[in-house]
Structure formats: C-alpha cells, structure tokens
Amino acid sequence: MRDFQMTRRGFGFLAAGAAVSAMLPVSARAAGAGAVAATFPGSWEDAYRTVLTPMVQKAGYDLTIAPALAQDQLAKVMASPGNPPYDTLLMSPGQMAVAIENDLIQKIDPSKLSNWGMLDPSFQGEYGPTVTIEVNGIAYNPDLVPKPKGYRDLFENPAYSGKVSWTGFASNTAVMAYTEIAKIFGSGPNDMDAVFKLFKAHPEHLKGVVDSTNHQMTLFQQGEIAVFMCSTGNVARLKSLGLNAEFAHPETGSPAAPVNIHLTKGTANLDAAYAYMDAAISKAAQDQLKEPPTEMFPTNKDVALTPAIEAYVTREQLKAMVYPDWVEINKHRPDWIRQFDALVAG
C-alpha cells in the first residue's frame, strides 16, 4: 500500500482548487436562464444530471448541475452573497444551520411544489424539502478484512491495522464518525481530544487520511484500502462497479443525516429553482434514484423501498438512527479542522 498521507499543504491545494472551480457556476448562469443547482460531486452529480435535468426541461426550464461539496457551496455563496453562484444548495443540517445563521438561504413557499404533500411532515422543512436520508456506517472489503463490529474494532483489532482510510473534519461523514468515536473513547460527542489522542496512538491509521470520500472510493477500487467511513450510497455505488464491498452498521448505532435542497437568498431564477426542487421529490424521480447505482432512500411516501435499501434500513428503523447535534458541532468544527490538519501534517 502506498503512503497517501494528507498534509496541511495538501489541504491548501484543495482550498485553491475550490476557489478556481467557484467561477464555473457563474459561467453556467450566464449561458442560460434556468437554475444552477449545487450538487455533491460523484454519484449525486451523475444521477441528478441524468434524472432531473430532463424533467426540469420538460417543465420549461434549463438546469445546470454544478458539483460542489457542501462546505464549498457555503464558501462560494458567502463570497458573493449579493450575486450567489447557485440558485439552490444541497446540504445536510450542519451546513444548513450555518446558511441560516448567515442569511444565505430563504424559506420556501410549499404551494409552488406539486409534490409537497407526498412527503412525510418530518421531511417538509421550512427551508426546503428533504430529498433523502443518508445512513452512515463502515464500508469494508470482505476479501481483505472481517466485518467490523464498530468503530472501536478498527483501532483495537489488528486485522484493520493500516487498512482504514479517513478524511478530515470538512466531511460530514467523517464528523459523524468522529463524534461517535468520541463517545466511545472519550466523555461525549464533543470530546475530540480523545479522538486526536487515539490517532496519535495509532499512526498507521493516519497514513490512510485523504481529502474526500470520492478519493477513498478510488483507493478502495484499487485495493489500496479495505475500510472507510461511508454512506449506504457509497457501498451501492461500489457494488454497481462490481466491487466486493459491504456495509457494516456500527454496534453503537448508525449516524444519519437528512439531505435537503435549499433556495439561495437572492436567487434570480425562482421558478426554475422550484421546478428543480419539485422534480427531486417527485415519485418519478425517486423511483429512479432508489435503484443502483445510487440507491437513495426515498422521502416520497408513494415510493416503495427496494429490497436492497430495506437491507440497509427501513422507514421504521430511521427513527433509531443516530442524529448528531449539528449546532453544537458547528461551534467546534473550525477548531477541530485545524487540530486534525496539524495532527496529519505533523
């Protein structure tokens, strides 16, 4: 296995790359009168472009899918609040709280969404609908390692030594895993000193730190890692590529995060943005998005779960998932990012 340790300089390059890519949505906006929708890169980007773009066009609007991680979406909108580069944002509660605090998103008018009534009330947010629930846990290659019992197993079982990959605190998936690890090895979800101490005691795991889940997906395909923190969607994508990948629910509970579409404050393409939002929660779209390679959990109550999704989680089990306190996480997150960066670079 090659050494792919991420350094502070490496994280700096990522930030520079994000700054350059921030110009792309502006160009896309100038090219048409439709909506520019920020979407997670990778399988989300592919699926939304394939499924939603033709639906929005059929409704009479153009749609540009602009890939960006949630943290990058926030950074770009904060950089130009008077002329936002996106009409809609795709975020989990952690970033949504920051967006509300900084007046970057606006409350929606549900009467403009014909599919609003198809959502369970818990998915009808005043700042936009929940389009899926991401259930997180541990991806592993059963050809290389045994099924992990949970996060503790990754640090205490020699079978996983040097075979686990992690990402920094900018990743929601990583943050959810770290807060669970802090509960196990520390005094509670915010005791991140216990997590940093754990990594220092297991430097073999620091060699597996990379910049993103997409990077981990590539390394997993190449057989360079055997375990990483993931969503069920990541495992579905790996399986669709023919990889021997499995999902493990941590014995302490699986962290979960709703994913929501938000209207950017000051959007100039309101009707197109609503058309895109309505398409994303429609039965027609979610019937496609629940299938491989994305296998997104449907929030439209008229969409039946597939056997593959039910093997991960049922509608009834959603209530038993672990939902982190994102407001509390956001208070500490910048400091955690700095400390983790220093730990990796040091």
Side-chain angles (χ1 to χ4, degrees):
M1 181 182 296
R2 70 183 174 86
D3 186 338
F4 40 84
Q5 183 175 4
M6 176 59 71
T7 65
R8 181 191 301 275
R9 180 179 170 81
F11 279 109
F13 283 146
L14 286 176
V20 171
S21 64
M23 299 176 63
L24 297 177
V26 176
S27 300
R29 178 189 296 281
V36 178
T39 311
F40 305 146
S43 58
W44 273 86
E45 171 191 354
D46 296 339
Y48 266 37
R49 182 174 290 121
T50 302
V51 175
L52 300 187
T53 298
M55 296 178 69
V56 175
Q57 288 175 336
K58 189 175 180 180
Y61 303 98
D62 289 332
L63 176 66
T64 299
I65 298 294
L69 296 173
Q71 288 292 104
D72 292 336
Q73 295 175 36
L74 270 180
K76 292 168 187 173
V77 176
M78 281 181 172
S80 55
N83 184 28
Y86 308 114
D87 296 295
T88 64
L89 306 178
L90 188 69
M91 294 178 169
S92 296
Q95 283 81 22
M96 180 182 73
V98 176
I100 293 173
E101 183 179 356
N102 288 275
D103 199 25
L104 302 177
I105 57 177
Q106 57 184 312
K107 294 181 180 179
I108 68 164
D109 178 357
S111 70
K112 294 182 179 297
L113 300 175
S114 63
N115 295 298
W116 184 252
M118 296 296 102
L119 300 178
D120 181 273
S122 63
F123 300 141
Q124 296 175 333
E126 61 181 348
Y127 283 94
T130 298
V131 294
T132 191
I133 299 284
E134 281 202 345
V135 176
N136 284 252
I138 304 170
Y140 68 100
N141 183 338
D143 289 336
L144 301 178
V145 292
K147 180 179 181 179
K149 298 176 183 175
Y151 302 111
R152 179 184 291 277
D153 215 16
L154 301 180
F155 291 93
E156 296 184 348
N157 187 336
Y160 304 105
S161 180
K163 298 178 181 176
V164 186
S165 177
W166 305 88
T167 59
F169 278 80
S171 161
N172 285 345
T173 297
V175 168
M176 287 190 278
Y178 293 143
T179 52
E180 289 302 293
I181 293 170
K183 291 179 187 175
I184 298 169
F185 291 94
S187 60
N190 299 321
D191 186 5
M192 219 50 69
D193 286 344
V195 177
F196 297 140
K197 182 179 178 181
L198 190 65
F199 274 108
K200 288 179 181 176
H202 295 273
E204 72 278 8
H205 284 332
L206 285 175
K207 293 181 179 178
V209 176
V210 295
D211 59 296
S212 69
T213 303
N214 285 336
H215 194 170
Q216 292 173 316
M217 297 276 281
T218 299
L219 295 175
F220 192 93
Q221 294 174 57
Q222 296 169 346
E224 297 190 54
I225 63 172
V227 179
F228 67 100
M229 307 311 108
C230 71
S231 68
T232 57
N234 296 131
V235 173
R237 174 63 175 167
L238 290 170
K239 286 186 173 183
S240 74
L241 296 172
L243 274 294
N244 194 7
E246 296 295 340
F247 180 86
H249 287 281
E251 58 189 351
T252 50
S254 296
V259 180
N260 310 294
I261 294 178
H262 303 294
L263 275 179
T264 310
K265 191 76 173 283
T267 173
N269 303 288
L270 201 57
D271 290 341
Y274 272 118
Y276 158 69
M277 191 178 292
D278 202 32
I281 60 174
S282 69
K283 183 177 187 301
Q286 295 203 357
D287 266 331
Q288 296 181 65
L289 297 170
K290 72 179 183 181
E291 299 291 345
T294 49
E295 293 190 0
M296 294 182 186
F297 191 97
T299 53
N300 185 312
K301 60 187 179 184
D302 281 1
V303 179
L305 301 189
T306 65
I309 291 178
E310 285 188 315
Y312 294 131
V313 62
T314 65
R315 293 190 191 280
E316 292 71 27
Q317 290 173 326
L318 278 184
K319 296 177 182 176
M321 300 290 110
V322 178
Y323 294 92
D325 183 345
W326 288 102
V327 173
E328 193 63 29
I329 287 173
N330 287 339
K331 293 179 183 175
H332 304 283
R333 196 166 186 169
D335 183 54
W336 292 344
I337 290 174
R338 284 191 292 272
Q339 288 193 60
F340 189 78
D341 192 3
L343 173 66
V344 174

